Amino acid sequence: MSTKGKVVGVVANLVTLEVDGPVGQNEICFIDLKGTKLMAEVIKVMGDKVAVQVFESTRGLQVGVSAEFAGRMLEVTLGPGMLSKTYDGLQNDLHKMEGVFLKRGEYTQPLNPGQKWKFTPLAKVGDEVEAASWLGEVKENWLDHKIMVPFDLKGTAKIKKIVSAGEYTSDSEIAVLTDANGNDISVSMEIKWAVKREVSAYKSKPRPFKLFETGVRTVDTLNPLAEGGTGFMPGPFGAGKTVMQHSFAKNANADIIVMVACGERANEVVEIFTEFPELEDPRTGRKLMERTVIIANTSNMPVAAREASVYTGMTIAEYYRSMGMKVLLLADSTSRWAQALREMSNRLEELPGQDAFPMDLSAIIAQFYARNGYVELNNGKTGSITFLGAVSPAGGNLKEPVTESTKKAARCFYALDQARADSKRYPAIDPIESYSKYIEYPELVAYLEENVQKGWADGVQILKDVLLRGKEAKDQINILGDDGVPLEYHITYNKSEVVDFSILQQDSFDKVDGTTPMPRQKQLTNVVLDICQSNYNFEDFEDVNKFFRRIINLINQMKYTKFESQEFYAAEKELKDFTATKKVANDNKKESA
């Protein structure tokens, strides 16, 4: 018999219930408001009273209203048919809902139970399986969607029955398993899985530190992201977070994209709805939405639903990772998720931390970020979740609690700078403030040495040094004037400008420059490194400025020309011939600036 309860207190979305039986943390209940069932989640147990966060508006809710507990945690339904879908934080299919505004208490099926899928078995009767083992596969759009053993299976089981190849609905029985205790378990194509619990159906394996290519030069070259790694982009409004995420989604080396809009303003979420379905997938020539799942929660939705959305997105990503796929998870913006945590913490009257955020904010963020990773599956295949979150600090303050807490969890920090955005230097990632801790790991350095070129990591450090010294030289020139500094200051500054215009700046809307594969990045980087390490003869600072402006124009011709084409090599030769006119004769010793 399920546990019952009644409302004894209401504070916005925080409701206190008095219960007549056992209740678990994160268990789901339904509050009956005049025949409308409001879903809620237990967030605190206090003897015979529990605090729940309601995923709907609580307007009109009164003391004495009854509630019933479901005996399960907040969960999602996983199976074929999720790609191209747009869900809210509770995995309701938004396209199945009627009207412009969401109705309170309306919940929809996340999958299409009546749709038939062409099933091909990968296992046979008598095979021993465990959680997440592959039983078969169906085609979801053009991807092979694996049908798996439920994740909550304990130990091993044997296949007692499995259907032959054919068309079946997602809720049809496709296999029967017999566990170690002799119990039969019916398996369909659908799996239900709690969103606030990690999938544990993997063997542990040291992370191989493969490069996760995004096609964005300032990321892949200067601050690389490892496959299965974590990174985040804090920045003010208008600094280009949305365009960056679109670029990552289109060009990154990923099989599946999961986009989570957790608390964005309504107009920003509408942008995702309207633009994502129109984006072309450069890998396949089809629509990008065919391998994308969108989780959308606007900032005016109840805070509890906003808080759930990131967990729903991560759980869906974990599901596809179990199929041996590379998943890119994008969350925009985790600041609004953290604000939802703050609102509920304040209503619970917990001891506040900095800026009234929960005291354990860093731990919550770290625990969530830890769910990404590169894993080895039970069958020896590998899968990964690479997580990139966007942070929207108030006023662009990168010292606020959410940014600082995320810094402790994420390995890559891509700081979007308002000044760069205002000067139209996109992507507006600050090359001085940003960093990647992966470039310091010997495993990734070894990967780059083997798969890109020898000394690649050293070359990256040279470019970073050029940028830092260029910034210092620029500051001196601005203070003392062009004639008030030695000629070397102008040379140093202009070399940093070559790095900026050639590598840091990229046109996301150009068919050629919009994405840069690693072979093209390597070629461009080597050209820039040669320029930065060479010594030149100049008459005065005007001669310096004129020379490097010409270099930047020639490199831009290479950037907007098809790689390894006749025009590309012609521009490269013209660049080499031009730089040779100013190079110091017999320049055997090269310097970084």
Side-chain angles (χ1 to χ4, degrees):
M1 186 175 178
S2 61
T3 299
K4 302 287 195 301
K6 65 177 182 178
V7 176
V8 294
V10 181
V11 181
N13 284 87
L14 177 65
V15 176
T16 304
L17 301 174
E18 188 174 51
V19 297
D20 62 3
V23 173
Q25 182 75 9
N26 300 121
E27 185 175 348
I28 291 299
C29 72
F30 290 89
I31 300 173
D32 189 349
L33 177 59
K34 298 178 181 178
T36 300
K37 302 291 186 180
L38 306 183
M39 186 187 291
E41 177 190 19
V42 176
I43 57 175
K44 190 174 183 179
V45 180
M46 308 162 289
D48 64 347
K49 291 185 176 61
V50 296
V52 302
Q53 56 177 357
V54 184
F55 297 115
E56 305 276 9
S57 169
T58 57
R59 181 174 296 176
L61 189 60
Q62 299 176 348
V63 171
V65 171
S66 64
E68 184 174 0
F69 288 81
R72 59 179 175 82
M73 299 171 67
L74 179 64
E75 61 187 15
V76 291
T77 302
L78 306 166
M82 291 192 298
L83 295 182
S84 305
K85 289 288 181 65
T86 301
Y87 297 117
D88 71 356
L90 303 180
Q91 210 197 4
N92 293 303
D93 187 346
L94 295 179
H95 291 297
K96 293 179 181 177
M97 294 184 167
E98 298 179 358
V100 177
F101 299 99
L102 300 181
K103 297 178 182 178
R104 186 163 59 173
E106 181 184 7
Y107 306 112
T108 62
Q109 285 277 358
L111 304 180
N112 300 321
Q115 182 176 352
K116 288 190 174 182
W117 301 90
K118 190 174 181 180
F119 175 79
T120 303
L122 298 175
K124 62 183 183 301
V125 172
D127 285 354
E128 189 172 82
V129 294
E130 52 190 318
S133 292
W134 299 352
L135 297 174
E137 63 184 12
V138 301
K139 282 289 185 184
E140 184 178 11
N141 293 336
W142 47 272
L143 292 164
D144 291 327
H145 184 114
K146 307 301 181 186
I147 305 303
M148 293 174 282
V149 174
F151 296 147
D152 56 0
L153 176 69
K154 304 297 182 184
T156 61
K158 285 192 175 181
I159 299 178
K160 180 179 179 180
K161 170 190 170 185
I162 187 165
V163 298
S164 57
E167 293 190 348
Y168 306 91
T169 58
S170 61
D171 55 356
S172 300
E173 182 181 85
I174 56 99
V176 176
L177 312 178
T178 303
D179 66 14
N181 298 320
N183 300 315
D184 286 348
I185 303 169
S186 177
V187 178
S188 70
M189 297 187 195
E190 298 180 3
I191 293 177
K192 293 189 182 294
W193 191 244
V195 300
K196 294 186 179 179
R197 179 173 58 188
E198 288 192 57
V199 175
S200 58
Y202 306 118
K203 296 176 181 178
S204 62
K205 177 187 177 183
R207 183 178 293 169
F209 287 96
K210 295 180 180 179
L211 178 68
F212 183 80
E213 291 186 42
T214 66
V216 179
R217 290 189 296 270
T218 187
V219 173
D220 293 346
T221 300
L222 288 187
N223 298 299
L225 182 63
E227 182 184 340
T230 54
F232 78 113
M233 299 179 293
F237 180 78
K241 292 191 291 294
T242 301
V243 174
M244 283 287 292
Q245 288 177 335
H246 285 194
S247 181
F248 288 145
K250 283 175 59 180
N251 303 312
N253 183 24
D255 301 313
I256 300 291
I257 310 298
V258 180
M259 178 69 195
V260 182
C262 45
E264 285 298 278
R265 298 176 182 89
N267 61 321
E268 292 170 319
V269 175
V270 168
E271 266 189 25
I272 295 173
F273 287 167
T274 56
E275 293 183 14
F276 250 76
E278 298 302 319
L279 293 178
E280 288 192 4
D281 186 353
R283 297 177 62 184
T284 64
R286 302 160 73 108
K287 293 299 182 183
L288 185 64
M289 272 299 292
E290 292 186 21
R291 59 184 178 97
T292 301
V293 182
I294 296 177
I295 314 295
N297 276 99
T298 57
S299 54
N300 65 333
M301 288 183 177
V303 293
R306 195 192 317 165
E307 189 257 349
S309 59
V310 294
Y311 294 104
T312 297
M314 179 62 79
T315 307
I316 291 174
E318 288 170 336
Y319 177 64
Y320 283 106
R321 177 175 64 180
S322 305
M323 302 179 195
M325 294 187 182
K326 297 178 183 177
V327 183
L328 173 61
L329 176 60
L330 300 168
D332 188 9
S333 145
T334 55
S335 292
R336 277 62 182 264
W337 168 50
Q339 289 164 7
L341 295 172
R342 177 172 61 183
E343 289 185 43
M344 295 311 298
S345 176
N346 292 345
R347 290 168 188 172
L348 284 169
E349 298 181 353
E350 295 176 340
L351 184 66
Q354 186 180 356
D355 289 358
F357 283 101
M359 288 287 288
D360 58 348
L361 178 65
S362 294
I364 295 172
I365 291 176
Q367 185 179 32
F368 179 76
Y369 270 75
R371 290 175 64 169
N372 80 297
Y374 185 104
V375 299
E376 180 181 357
L377 308 177
N378 297 327
N379 57 10
K381 304 292 185 181
T382 59
S384 63
I385 298 174
T386 306
F387 179 44
L388 273 168
V391 177
S392 305
N397 176 22
L398 300 188
K399 299 298 182 183
E400 55 87 43
V402 180
T403 304
E404 288 294 308
S405 297
T406 308
K407 261 189 178 182
K408 299 173 185 176
R411 301 292 91 184
C412 293
F413 175 61
Y414 303 118
L416 298 177
D417 180 54
Q418 186 67 64
R420 284 187 66 84
D422 291 342
S423 59
K424 308 303 179 187
R425 297 194 175 202
Y426 290 109
I429 296 175
D430 189 318
I432 308 300
E433 293 294 327
S434 303
Y435 61 78
S436 168
K437 293 184 179 178
Y438 295 118
I439 196 67
E440 302 170 3
Y441 290 20
E443 296 90 346
L444 185 62
V445 172
Y447 176 88
L448 295 171
E449 293 273 324
E450 181 179 348
N451 294 277
V452 182
Q453 72 178 22
K454 292 286 186 183
W456 180 260
D458 293 334
V460 170
Q461 293 304 326
I462 290 172
L463 293 178
K464 288 189 173 186
D465 184 60
V466 169
L467 289 166
L468 180 59
R469 293 172 64 182
K471 182 178 183 298
E472 294 169 349
K474 180 183 178 182
D475 292 340
Q476 290 296 316
I477 293 170
N478 288 339
I479 294 171
L480 301 175
D482 290 332
D483 295 323
V485 297
L487 196 61
E488 288 76 13
Y489 280 60
H490 290 279
I491 297 173
T492 299
Y493 167 63
N494 276 279
K495 284 183 177 180
S496 72
E497 286 289 275
V498 171
V499 178
D500 197 325
F501 278 89
S502 305
I503 296 177
L504 301 187
Q505 295 183 51
Q506 191 168 347
D507 188 346
S508 294
F509 301 100
D510 185 80
K511 289 185 178 180
V512 175
D513 196 42
T515 180
T516 310
M518 279 309 296
R520 187 182 180 101
Q521 290 194 43
K522 181 176 76 171
Q523 181 88 348
L524 193 61
T525 300
N526 288 334
V527 167
V528 174
L529 273 171
D530 181 69
I531 293 169
C532 291
Q533 293 180 283
S534 297
N535 295 321
Y536 303 94
N537 281 322
F538 296 107
E539 297 178 4
D540 51 34
F541 73 86
E542 291 182 349
D543 190 23
V544 173
N545 295 339
K546 183 179 178 181
F547 174 77
F548 282 105
R549 278 199 302 270
R550 177 62 177 159
I551 283 179
I552 290 171
N553 288 333
L554 291 172
I555 291 179
N556 275 338
Q557 290 182 32
M558 295 174 61
K559 285 169 55 177
Y560 288 95
T561 305
K562 185 179 179 182
F563 184 50
E564 295 184 331
S565 64
Q566 186 175 354
E567 293 81 3
F568 180 87
Y569 287 124
E572 185 179 35
K573 183 179 184 304
E574 186 179 356
L575 175 64
K576 288 181 179 179
D577 292 343
F578 178 72
T579 55
T581 62
K582 290 288 185 180
K583 271 189 180 180
V584 174
N586 300 319
D587 181 26
N588 295 320
K589 184 179 178 181
K590 293 186 175 183
E591 300 176 1
S592 61

